[in-house]
Amino acid sequence: MYTLPDLEVLRDFNAIAILTSGGDSPGMNPAIRGVVRAALNNGIQVYGVQRGYSGLLAGDLRVMTSASVRNIVQRGGTILKSDRCEAFKQKEVRQQAIKVLEQNGIDALVVIGGDGSLTGAHSLAEESDIAVIGLPGTIDNDIFGTEDTIGFDTAVNTALDAIDKIRDTASSHERYFLVEVMGRNSGFLATHVGIAAGAEKVVVPEYEVQIEQLGQQLCDNRRSGKGSSGIIVVAEGQTPGLTYRLAQQLKQQGEEPRVCILGHIQRGGRPSGHDRVLASSLGAMAVRYLQAGYSDIMVGVANGAILDVPLDSVIRYRKGLDPKLFELALLLHK
Amino acid sequence: MYTLPDLEVLRDFNAIAILTSGGDSPGMNPAIRGVVRAALNNGIQVYGVQRGYSGLLAGDLRVMTSASVRNIVQRGGTILKSDRCEAFKQKEVRQQAIKVLEQNGIDALVVIGGDGSLTGAHSLAEESDIAVIGLPGTIDNDIFGTEDTIGFDTAVNTALDAIDKIRDTASSHERYFLVEVMGRNSGFLATHVGIAAGAEKVVVPEYEVQIEQLGQQLCDNRRSGKGSSGIIVVAEGQTPGLTYRLAQQLKQQGEEPRVCILGHIQRGGRPSGHDRVLASSLGAMAVRYLQAGYSDIMVGVANGAILDVPLDSVIRYRKGLDPKLFELALLLHK
Amino acid sequence: MYTLPDLEVLRDFNAIAILTSGGDSPGMNPAIRGVVRAALNNGIQVYGVQRGYSGLLAGDLRVMTSASVRNIVQRGGTILKSDRCEAFKQKEVRQQAIKVLEQNGIDALVVIGGDGSLTGAHSLAEESDIAVIGLPGTIDNDIFGTEDTIGFDTAVNTALDAIDKIRDTASSHERYFLVEVMGRNSGFLATHVGIAAGAEKVVVPEYEVQIEQLGQQLCDNRRSGKGSSGIIVVAEGQTPGLTYRLAQQLKQQGEEPRVCILGHIQRGGRPSGHDRVLASSLGAMAVRYLQAGYSDIMVGVANGAILDVPLDSVIRYRKGLDPKLFELALLLHK
Amino acid sequence: MYTLPDLEVLRDFNAIAILTSGGDSPGMNPAIRGVVRAALNNGIQVYGVQRGYSGLLAGDLRVMTSASVRNIVQRGGTILKSDRCEAFKQKEVRQQAIKVLEQNGIDALVVIGGDGSLTGAHSLAEESDIAVIGLPGTIDNDIFGTEDTIGFDTAVNTALDAIDKIRDTASSHERYFLVEVMGRNSGFLATHVGIAAGAEKVVVPEYEVQIEQLGQQLCDNRRSGKGSSGIIVVAEGQTPGLTYRLAQQLKQQGEEPRVCILGHIQRGGRPSGHDRVLASSLGAMAVRYLQAGYSDIMVGVANGAILDVPLDSVIRYRKGLDPKLFELALLLHK
């Protein structure tokens, strides 16, 4: 797994609060466990915030003990529950959250979530004296500054489990299947799933799909005996219904593809080994970064090592899809 | 598993043809293996027909050896491929199929499939001297005359795997999820999945859904603290989009349910142990029923025993959902 | 699934206690849920006994609410915990247990477990006025009077998951693997697993294994090109080490088989759909049988229907392996 | 996943041979597919060698087409089969292998395997003009010069699947379980599995186990209510039976731990998404490194990037267990 940094303990804390926010992702629980166990083993109290920023505003906190996180490392979802909190975009609302933290003697906060959640975390860090650390928790792996996110590996495996089943039917009926995976802005998940599934084609938001070419290719495959069935992985994209539209267009070219939308099963399930180790490491390291005096950062992964990235950069830049990875998918498909 | 009947060998055969037809279901491969191995061990030749009735019409047969079915017991789909063949409803077309069989010296045929496929099998039995046996292969378990079908048990487990994942997100976000499983005319799959998933509610074609009542119940659960999340299993029914319409109606009552359409993953995947033993037994017994002089029957399951049912009855009657099972789902949900 | 009996409500109860005893099996949780929900929906109180008969003796009971069994239908093991209690074979000890039940106003007891646990249940029924119902909970499916037991189907699937992995290595290295499954007195599990795994051979306590013949057969397969790898499923039998001894003997005949002992993973894991529906049905029916005035019975399965069997018979007779099933395994292996 | 290097095409090849050697690992098939598809797409012929070095000596080669590797990306084991070949340690024997390659016009060889297999590859590179590339294929992840190996991630997940099942029984019976995973010289697999399983303790060859301390700790946990069940992950180590000896010693201290040896299931199974992408990338990159003029190297992973390591170093040095990772396991366990 990833190399852990050496950090000196420079600062002491009274209590750390932890919350999960936005769409849940598998591995949030081992991350929570990592924060709780590391903090308690360093003599720091931990509060679990229920339902993300909404629960924080409502003062919905509970003291976490070592037993609170017993037997959760293998569970999907988040024991702290999660929420999307639109109101948190307003400064007055965040001031209310800061008050809640201060009134409970909490001097540090760990936020696990995606882009939107980390934006809230950055604002809290700027607008208060509370030390704030973000951890990247999303199945999309679309967060700038980190190569890996909690939940991505599990989502790839979940999508593959489904596709390995679909391939049985595709091959039995000599049909192509369009399989839609999550990914509104980013084709990262689709590209990984596509390579791992041995897909004929991957459709991602970063590159325009040439539908005539694709139809022609499928048609050629069928004629030349190269193959009369297969999987095309499609990232959902910005406008709902993309995959059905693609199927419609392929029908006009003589194919009869079937559509399968994987949907919410991609968010759930027991986290994979990779995600459990990643999440446990990031959770424990979040506490260590706090103790080393850091704040307003995300703890992420680059070049195979765990490291800090300013939250400011995380939320300002957009992560691009590695073109070499996408080319690999193309290279291997036939 | 099911009790196997005692049958005397009364008749000899030259060659048996086997085909899979209609929607594929997990367990078709061990059924094929059962027929092939049982026939060869009894000195009868076996032909595998490619792509169902379409392949039969095209004379697309290959000789099956013991090795042809090696290492397939655990594979989803069907190695013989499958097809829906509209033309087979015409008598002239079926006469063509009978010629193909006769020209190849084939005096028996085993057909694995659902209602439509067994209808074709019955006609072939009536219109020729070829002995014909049907085996029930469908994930819907909606075939009259048999309590169990090849693929049903696997499909239940596949749906549960998905729902166990969805429950993580449902619980983390305190939301209800409407999960659509297959079943156009029959709520058998939905009812079993609902009981096994501990669903709050099961919606099936056999009973009208009281949408106001359901909305009220969810709302009451939430208020009374009985639960703010859960799963509602919906059989797809006759008109596409039922589950989305239900979600829309629940939204008007203040809920924000999410929709998940399981789709084609339900047909695929490695067959479960139950389906492998069932399919192996039915396959081997199909050969034994042929040898005992039977024809124009389906080999199915009733009262825990494998037995014969006239194909005539199989295709004439409709299997009803056991109301006591449906009541059990209701009894346990809260 | 199995047909549910019609039973009239004839008797009223104050409180039902429920316990799980002996080796745990997957499906005990949905059985507990079935008892609890059915009882509460009929206005009967339920106590959960911790750690089987040991906990009963210690008076370790807790009131079960509908929420106590929320979200457990998919969990392996037993939330009530289990134990083997040697002391319970003594009448004085059982008298102590009866006192505990009476002092808590409990007039009925449901026991989920195997042979030993049901023996205790029968004695309690004979020695007190408490109505006692047993439910068959064991992965071995070796209980007289029922064709199916809670946990059997899941154990078959767990063993198959392992064997499907082992087959990859067996085939890559052209080796035979001896895979040991549970089953001290009974080859039921081994036979089902063997059929479903497409095993070359099944070794069970009911039939003596001809080791020279087996070695010869493997050797012949290899020479004739029939196959140079495969799986042999072995029931553990009475004396530990059987599978290693078989491997040793095959080595002397020139084979280099590998050994794999599946062990405790067979007891655990999320229950299969079949086991969840079976356990839910048996749990709900246990309450219904109590209300219909039954006691000193096990609720089991015969001829595809749920029905009652006197506990007296259950513990007196031994269930035999269906020879036709065993022959089927032999018939299909090559 | 890992960053792919930029490499210029400098050299042309007539034909590449590929073989898998030593213990099989999940992901060998997508690696084979990566080599085959990348070579063919660059106009280079590919030969698949059967059964590792043994098959090479016997001249057991077959021409690989794009179709040869169709639908294998998801399969465990290796379609080329594998073998351990003691004779290959002798120079004369290797000269024979070189002749076979030359006679078939093969000017490059890709070897997928562990330490022993790569030692053979290094010798071939030194003793001939054939360009040789090694790929790290082992579930142990114990190869010097690479942070990751093909099959490691899948083995971690397979072990976790088993442990998640065992935990059900551990918790139901309030017992500790000693679970033995593979790893003769290296605790890498055990440490990852231990962190991901939330194990109470990890026993690895790199650190001496303090058995009295461990017994005391379990005993303390039980007394203090900290927990009466749990998982201890043990790397198998050099001398068979370690885990049983540990269990024996713990028994003397009053515990009744159960033992579970995971064994060969760890080598098999469908490769995980991570392993499929890693193997596909390494396979395609092996061809690219050949074209860039490299030989006598392994293509591995360091600092999150795919890169070359001299085979000379790979086989000379031993990879150490990251002490910080091991400390993380200790930090989180309670």
Side-chain angles (χ1 to χ4, degrees):
Chain A
M1 180 54 64
Y2 305 117
T3 314
L4 306 177
D6 277 316
L7 293 167
E8 227 177 317
V9 174
L10 297 171
R11 210 189 133 175
D12 198 23
F13 286 90
N14 178 44
I16 298 176
I18 175 165
L19 63 82
T20 50
S21 163
D24 64 323
S25 72
M28 285 184 162
N29 281 330
I32 294 167
R33 178 176 172 268
V35 170
V36 170
R37 290 270 165 96
L40 294 179
N41 280 324
N42 282 281
I44 308 169
Q45 230 191 329
V46 191
Y47 287 95
V49 182
Q50 302 290 302
R51 287 171 301 113
Y53 292 126
S54 308
L56 181 56
L57 291 170
D60 198 351
L61 315 178
R62 56 173 165 139
V63 174
M64 304 294 279
T65 65
S66 182
S68 314
V69 293
R70 215 184 132 80
N71 236 351
I72 67 163
V73 79
Q74 80 279 14
R75 294 217 196 134
T78 157
I79 59 163
L80 294 178
K81 300 190 189 294
S82 185
D83 202 11
R84 296 183 198 273
C85 179
E86 278 302 306
F88 213 71
K89 290 184 180 158
Q90 303 162 39
K91 193 170 175 177
E92 319 79 81
V93 171
R94 292 194 299 267
Q95 283 302 319
Q96 167 59 16
I98 292 165
K99 253 185 229 161
V100 170
L101 292 168
E102 288 172 348
Q103 281 164 357
N104 284 278
I106 293 166
D107 39 10
L109 173 69
V110 177
V111 171
I112 311 174
D115 243 21
S117 310
L118 298 178
T119 304
H122 174 53
S123 301
L124 283 181
E126 285 198 324
E127 298 162 7
S128 77
D129 291 334
I130 292 157
V132 180
I133 303 268
L135 296 182
T138 161
I139 63 165
D140 291 329
N141 201 358
D142 61 350
I143 296 180
F144 183 85
T146 185
E147 295 164 2
D148 202 354
T149 60
I150 297 167
F152 173 67
D153 183 68
T154 307
V156 170
N157 282 312
T158 299
L160 287 173
D161 284 352
I163 291 177
D164 286 350
K165 289 193 210 307
I166 291 168
R167 192 188 280 118
D168 290 336
T169 293
S171 155
S172 296
H173 285 270
E174 301 187 324
R175 285 255 164 73
Y176 284 93
F177 272 75
L178 300 171
V179 181
E180 183 179 298
V181 301
M182 286 191 172
R184 289 212 180 134
N185 308 300
S186 150
F188 212 73
L189 182 63
T191 305
H192 271 75
V193 169
I195 294 174
E200 311 308 305
K201 179 86 185 171
V202 179
V203 178
V204 295
E206 287 88 345
Y207 298 90
E208 213 182 328
V209 58
Q210 307 290 341
I211 196 75
E212 282 84 18
Q213 263 186 25
L214 177 55
Q216 195 56 49
Q217 179 195 323
L218 301 190
C219 195
D220 288 354
N221 288 352
R222 204 178 278 276
R223 257 188 243 130
S224 69
K226 253 192 181 177
S228 54
S229 71
I231 303 290
I232 295 157
V233 176
V234 183
E236 61 182 334
Q238 293 276 13
T239 42
L242 167 64
T243 309
Y244 284 106
R245 284 195 303 278
L246 286 178
Q248 204 51 43
Q249 291 172 301
L250 288 174
K251 246 177 217 169
Q252 288 164 10
Q253 298 185 53
E255 283 295 325
E256 293 237 39
R258 293 283 178 269
V259 168
C260 216
I261 311 289
L262 294 189
H264 281 279
I265 57 168
Q266 296 168 83
R267 288 203 184 287
R270 296 161 50 244
S272 69
H274 178 96
D275 273 334
R276 294 193 208 176
V277 176
L278 170 67
S280 299
S281 305
L282 290 180
M285 280 302 129
V287 174
R288 185 51 60 100
Y289 272 102
L290 284 171
Q291 290 182 303
Y294 287 73
S295 178
D296 203 7
I297 57 153
M298 176 182 78
V299 184
V301 174
N303 302 324
I306 288 178
L307 83 185
D308 57 294
V309 199
L311 277 174
D312 188 42
S313 318
V314 169
I315 63 182
R316 192 179 311 167
Y317 300 108
R318 214 177 125 189
K319 188 177 174 178
L321 180 63
D322 182 356
K324 272 184 285 185
L325 198 70
F326 191 71
E327 282 160 30
L328 183 66
L330 295 180
L331 176 72
L332 295 175
H333 82 81
K334 266 285 149 241
Chain B
M1 179 56 65
Y2 305 115
T3 313
L4 305 178
D6 276 317
L7 292 167
E8 226 177 318
V9 175
L10 298 171
R11 212 191 132 176
D12 198 23
F13 286 91
N14 179 45
I16 299 177
I18 175 163
L19 63 82
T20 50
S21 164
D24 64 323
S25 72
M28 284 184 162
N29 282 330
I32 294 166
R33 177 177 173 269
V35 171
V36 170
R37 292 268 164 96
L40 294 180
N41 280 324
N42 282 282
I44 308 168
Q45 229 192 329
V46 191
Y47 288 94
V49 182
Q50 303 290 303
R51 286 172 301 113
Y53 292 124
S54 309
L56 181 56
L57 291 169
D60 199 352
L61 313 178
R62 56 173 164 139
V63 173
M64 304 292 281
T65 65
S66 183
S68 314
V69 294
R70 216 185 130 80
N71 235 353
I72 68 164
V73 80
Q74 80 281 14
R75 293 216 197 135
T78 157
I79 59 163
L80 294 177
K81 300 192 188 293
S82 186
D83 201 12
R84 295 180 198 276
C85 179
E86 278 301 305
F88 213 72
K89 290 184 181 159
Q90 303 162 40
K91 194 171 177 178
E92 319 80 82
V93 172
R94 291 193 299 267
Q95 284 302 319
Q96 166 61 16
I98 291 165
K99 256 187 228 160
V100 169
L101 292 168
E102 288 172 349
Q103 282 164 353
N104 284 280
I106 294 166
D107 40 9
L109 174 69
V110 177
V111 171
I112 313 173
D115 243 22
S117 311
L118 299 178
T119 304
H122 174 54
S123 300
L124 284 181
E126 285 197 322
E127 299 162 7
S128 78
D129 291 334
I130 292 157
V132 181
I133 303 269
L135 295 182
T138 161
I139 63 165
D140 290 330
N141 202 356
D142 61 349
I143 296 179
F144 182 85
T146 186
E147 295 164 3
D148 203 355
T149 60
I150 297 167
F152 174 66
D153 183 68
T154 307
V156 171
N157 282 314
T158 299
L160 287 173
D161 284 352
I163 291 178
D164 286 350
K165 289 193 210 306
I166 292 168
R167 193 188 280 118
D168 290 336
T169 293
S171 155
S172 297
H173 285 269
E174 300 187 325
R175 286 254 164 73
Y176 283 94
F177 272 74
L178 299 172
V179 181
E180 183 179 299
V181 300
M182 286 191 172
R184 287 211 181 137
N185 308 300
S186 149
F188 214 72
L189 182 63
T191 305
H192 271 75
V193 169
I195 293 174
E200 311 306 307
K201 179 85 185 170
V202 179
V203 178
V204 295
E206 287 88 346
Y207 297 90
E208 214 183 327
V209 58
Q210 308 289 343
I211 196 75
E212 282 83 20
Q213 263 186 27
L214 176 55
Q216 195 55 49
Q217 180 195 323
L218 302 190
C219 194
D220 287 354
N221 287 353
R222 205 178 276 280
R223 253 188 245 133
S224 69
K226 253 192 180 178
S228 52
S229 71
I231 303 291
I232 294 156
V233 176
V234 183
E236 60 182 335
Q238 295 276 15
T239 42
L242 167 64
T243 309
Y244 284 107
R245 286 195 302 278
L246 286 178
Q248 204 51 44
Q249 291 171 301
L250 288 174
K251 244 177 217 169
Q252 287 164 11
Q253 296 184 55
E255 283 295 325
E256 294 237 37
R258 293 285 177 267
V259 168
C260 216
I261 311 290
L262 294 189
H264 281 279
I265 58 168
Q266 295 167 83
R267 286 202 186 288
R270 295 162 50 244
S272 69
H274 178 96
D275 273 334
R276 295 192 207 177
V277 176
L278 170 66
S280 299
S281 306
L282 291 180
M285 280 302 128
V287 175
R288 184 52 58 101
Y289 271 102
L290 284 170
Q291 292 183 301
Y294 287 75
S295 178
D296 203 8
I297 58 152
M298 176 182 76
V299 184
V301 175
N303 301 325
I306 288 177
L307 84 185
D308 58 295
V309 199
L311 276 174
D312 188 43
S313 318
V314 169
I315 63 182
R316 192 180 309 167
Y317 301 107
R318 214 177 124 191
K319 188 176 174 179
L321 181 64
D322 183 357
K324 271 185 284 185
L325 197 70
F326 192 70
E327 281 160 30
L328 183 65
L330 296 179
L331 176 72
L332 294 176
H333 82 80
K334 266 288 148 238
Chain C
M1 177 57 60
Y2 305 115
T3 313
L4 306 178
D6 276 316
L7 293 166
E8 225 177 318
V9 174
L10 296 172
R11 212 190 131 177
D12 198 22
F13 287 91
N14 179 42
I16 298 176
I18 175 164
L19 63 82
T20 50
S21 165
D24 63 323
S25 72
M28 285 183 162
N29 282 331
I32 294 167
R33 176 175 173 272
V35 172
V36 170
R37 291 268 166 96
L40 295 179
N41 279 325
N42 281 282
I44 308 169
Q45 230 191 328
V46 191
Y47 287 95
V49 181
Q50 302 290 302
R51 287 172 300 113
Y53 293 125
S54 309
L56 181 56
L57 292 169
D60 198 353
L61 315 177
R62 57 173 164 138
V63 173
M64 303 294 279
T65 64
S66 181
S68 314
V69 293
R70 215 185 132 80
N71 235 352
I72 68 164
V73 80
Q74 81 280 13
R75 293 215 197 136
T78 156
I79 58 163
L80 294 178
K81 301 190 188 293
S82 186
D83 202 10
R84 295 180 199 277
C85 179
E86 278 302 305
F88 213 72
K89 290 182 181 160
Q90 302 163 38
K91 193 171 175 177
E92 320 80 81
V93 171
R94 292 194 298 268
Q95 284 302 318
Q96 167 60 16
I98 292 165
K99 253 186 231 160
V100 169
L101 291 168
E102 289 173 347
Q103 282 164 355
N104 284 278
I106 294 165
D107 40 10
L109 173 69
V110 177
V111 171
I112 312 172
D115 243 22
S117 310
L118 298 178
T119 304
H122 174 53
S123 301
L124 283 181
E126 285 197 323
E127 299 162 7
S128 77
D129 291 334
I130 292 158
V132 181
I133 303 268
L135 296 182
T138 161
I139 63 164
D140 291 330
N141 201 356
D142 61 350
I143 296 180
F144 183 85
T146 186
E147 295 164 2
D148 202 355
T149 59
I150 297 167
F152 174 67
D153 182 69
T154 307
V156 171
N157 282 314
T158 299
L160 287 173
D161 284 351
I163 291 177
D164 286 350
K165 289 191 209 309
I166 291 168
R167 193 188 279 119
D168 291 335
T169 293
S171 156
S172 296
H173 286 269
E174 300 187 327
R175 286 253 164 75
Y176 283 93
F177 273 74
L178 299 171
V179 181
E180 183 180 297
V181 301
M182 286 190 172
R184 287 210 182 138
N185 309 300
S186 151
F188 212 73
L189 182 62
T191 305
H192 271 75
V193 169
I195 294 174
E200 311 306 305
K201 179 85 185 169
V202 179
V203 177
V204 296
E206 287 88 346
Y207 298 90
E208 214 181 326
V209 59
Q210 306 290 342
I211 195 77
E212 283 83 19
Q213 263 187 26
L214 177 55
Q216 196 56 49
Q217 180 194 323
L218 301 190
C219 195
D220 288 354
N221 287 353
R222 204 179 277 280
R223 255 188 243 131
S224 68
K226 252 193 179 176
S228 52
S229 71
I231 303 291
I232 295 156
V233 176
V234 183
E236 61 181 335
Q238 294 276 12
T239 42
L242 168 64
T243 309
Y244 285 106
R245 286 196 302 278
L246 286 177
Q248 203 53 43
Q249 292 171 300
L250 288 175
K251 245 178 216 168
Q252 287 163 13
Q253 297 185 54
E255 283 295 325
E256 294 235 40
R258 294 283 179 270
V259 168
C260 216
I261 312 289
L262 293 189
H264 281 279
I265 57 167
Q266 295 166 85
R267 288 202 184 288
R270 295 162 51 244
S272 69
H274 177 97
D275 273 334
R276 295 193 207 178
V277 177
L278 170 66
S280 299
S281 305
L282 290 179
M285 280 301 129
V287 174
R288 184 50 60 100
Y289 272 102
L290 284 170
Q291 291 183 302
Y294 287 75
S295 179
D296 204 8
I297 58 152
M298 176 183 78
V299 184
V301 174
N303 301 326
I306 288 177
L307 84 186
D308 58 295
V309 199
L311 276 174
D312 189 41
S313 319
V314 169
I315 64 183
R316 193 180 307 168
Y317 300 108
R318 213 177 126 191
K319 186 176 174 179
L321 181 64
D322 183 356
K324 272 183 286 186
L325 198 69
F326 191 70
E327 282 160 30
L328 182 66
L330 296 179
L331 175 71
L332 295 177
H333 81 81
K334 267 281 148 260
Chain D
M1 178 57 63
Y2 305 116
T3 313
L4 305 178
D6 277 316
L7 292 167
E8 227 176 317
V9 175
L10 297 171
R11 212 190 131 176
D12 198 20
F13 286 90
N14 178 44
I16 299 176
I18 175 163
L19 64 80
T20 50
S21 165
D24 64 322
S25 71
M28 284 183 162
N29 281 331
I32 294 166
R33 177 176 172 269
V35 171
V36 171
R37 292 268 165 96
L40 295 180
N41 279 325
N42 282 281
I44 308 169
Q45 229 190 329
V46 192
Y47 286 94
V49 182
Q50 302 290 302
R51 287 173 300 114
Y53 293 125
S54 309
L56 180 55
L57 291 170
D60 200 352
L61 314 177
R62 56 172 165 139
V63 173
M64 303 293 281
T65 64
S66 182
S68 314
V69 293
R70 214 182 131 79
N71 234 352
I72 68 164
V73 79
Q74 80 281 13
R75 293 215 198 136
T78 156
I79 58 163
L80 294 178
K81 299 193 189 292
S82 185
D83 201 11
R84 295 180 200 276
C85 180
E86 278 302 305
F88 213 72
K89 289 183 179 159
Q90 303 163 39
K91 192 170 178 179
E92 321 79 82
V93 172
R94 291 195 297 267
Q95 283 302 316
Q96 167 61 16
I98 291 165
K99 254 185 232 160
V100 169
L101 292 168
E102 287 172 349
Q103 282 164 354
N104 284 279
I106 293 165
D107 40 9
L109 174 68
V110 178
V111 171
I112 312 173
D115 243 22
S117 311
L118 298 179
T119 303
H122 174 53
S123 300
L124 283 181
E126 283 197 324
E127 299 162 8
S128 77
D129 291 334
I130 291 157
V132 180
I133 303 269
L135 296 182
T138 162
I139 63 164
D140 290 330
N141 202 356
D142 61 350
I143 296 180
F144 182 84
T146 185
E147 296 164 3
D148 202 354
T149 60
I150 298 167
F152 174 68
D153 183 68
T154 308
V156 170
N157 282 313
T158 300
L160 287 174
D161 284 352
I163 292 178
D164 286 350
K165 289 193 211 305
I166 291 168
R167 192 187 280 120
D168 290 336
T169 294
S171 155
S172 296
H173 285 270
E174 300 187 326
R175 286 253 164 73
Y176 284 93
F177 273 74
L178 299 172
V179 181
E180 184 179 297
V181 300
M182 286 192 172
R184 286 209 183 138
N185 309 300
S186 151
F188 213 73
L189 182 63
T191 304
H192 271 75
V193 169
I195 293 174
E200 311 307 306
K201 180 83 185 172
V202 180
V203 178
V204 293
E206 288 88 345
Y207 297 91
E208 215 183 327
V209 58
Q210 307 290 340
I211 196 76
E212 284 83 18
Q213 262 186 27
L214 176 56
Q216 196 54 51
Q217 180 194 322
L218 302 190
C219 194
D220 287 355
N221 287 353
R222 206 179 276 277
R223 253 187 246 132
S224 69
K226 252 193 180 178
S228 52
S229 71
I231 303 291
I232 295 157
V233 176
V234 183
E236 60 181 335
Q238 294 276 14
T239 43
L242 168 64
T243 309
Y244 284 106
R245 287 196 302 278
L246 285 177
Q248 205 50 44
Q249 290 173 301
L250 288 173
K251 244 178 217 170
Q252 287 164 11
Q253 297 185 53
E255 282 296 325
E256 295 236 40
R258 293 284 179 269
V259 168
C260 217
I261 312 289
L262 294 189
H264 281 279
I265 57 168
Q266 296 167 83
R267 287 201 185 288
R270 295 161 52 242
S272 68
H274 178 96
D275 273 334
R276 295 193 207 177
V277 176
L278 169 66
S280 299
S281 306
L282 290 180
M285 280 301 128
V287 175
R288 185 50 60 98
Y289 272 102
L290 284 171
Q291 292 182 301
Y294 287 75
S295 178
D296 204 7
I297 58 153
M298 176 182 78
V299 184
V301 174
N303 301 325
I306 287 179
L307 85 185
D308 57 296
V309 199
L311 276 174
D312 188 42
S313 319
V314 169
I315 64 183
R316 193 181 306 167
Y317 301 107
R318 212 176 126 194
K319 187 176 173 180
L321 181 63
D322 182 356
K324 271 184 285 187
L325 197 70
F326 192 71
E327 282 161 30
L328 182 66
L330 296 178
L331 175 72
L332 294 177
H333 83 81
K334 267 287 147 235

